[in-house]
Amino acid sequence: MEEFEEYAEKAKGLPETTTNENKLILYGLFKQATVGPVNTSRPGIFNQRDRAKWDAWKAVEGKSTEEAMGDYITKVKELQEAAAAS
């Protein structure tokens, strides 16, 4: 849990060039790790941003809290390495 919180902070420092796709992956994993399975209805067609975030969360619905935290940490590390290499 402590490592997860550390990487949640590090994620805030990811470069502006981080793609929306990667941001959505992180969002979905974060929500799954901290809230659990999707607990709201899907936003309407006119709310594309929130709908995309909801879909990203729904995509990882089957993961346990531990799995979601582990995947989140791995993804942040991956993005940090990519940013450092560019």
Side-chain angles (χ1 to χ4, degrees), residues 2-21:
E2 199 173 293
E3 187 183 18
F4 174 74
E5 287 167 4
E6 180 188 325
Y7 277 90
E9 274 307 304
K10 288 181 179 183
K12 293 176 186 172
L14 288 171
E16 289 296 311
T17 52
T18 305
T19 65
N20 276 340
E21 182 187 355

Side-chain angles (χ1 to χ4, degrees), residues 17-45:
T17 52
T18 305
T19 65
N20 276 340
E21 182 187 355
N22 281 322
K23 288 177 185 173
L24 286 169
I25 290 168
L26 287 176
Y27 176 83
L29 290 168
F30 183 85
K31 292 294 277 187
Q32 186 69 18
T34 57
V35 179
V38 173
N39 58 3
T40 59
S41 54
R42 190 173 191 225
I45 192 90

Side-chain angles (χ1 to χ4, degrees), residues 22-74:
N22 281 322
K23 288 177 185 173
L24 286 169
I25 290 168
L26 287 176
Y27 176 83
L29 290 168
F30 183 85
K31 292 294 277 187
Q32 186 69 18
T34 57
V35 179
V38 173
N39 58 3
T40 59
S41 54
R42 190 173 191 225
I45 192 90
F46 298 110
N47 196 341
Q48 289 297 320
R49 185 170 175 263
D50 288 344
R51 193 177 176 109
K53 289 166 78 174
W54 189 93
D55 288 347
W57 185 7
K58 183 79 173 168
V60 293
E61 194 171 38
K63 291 188 186 290
S64 69
T65 299
E66 293 74 27
E67 262 185 304
M69 284 183 181
D71 289 356
Y72 182 91
I73 291 165
T74 301

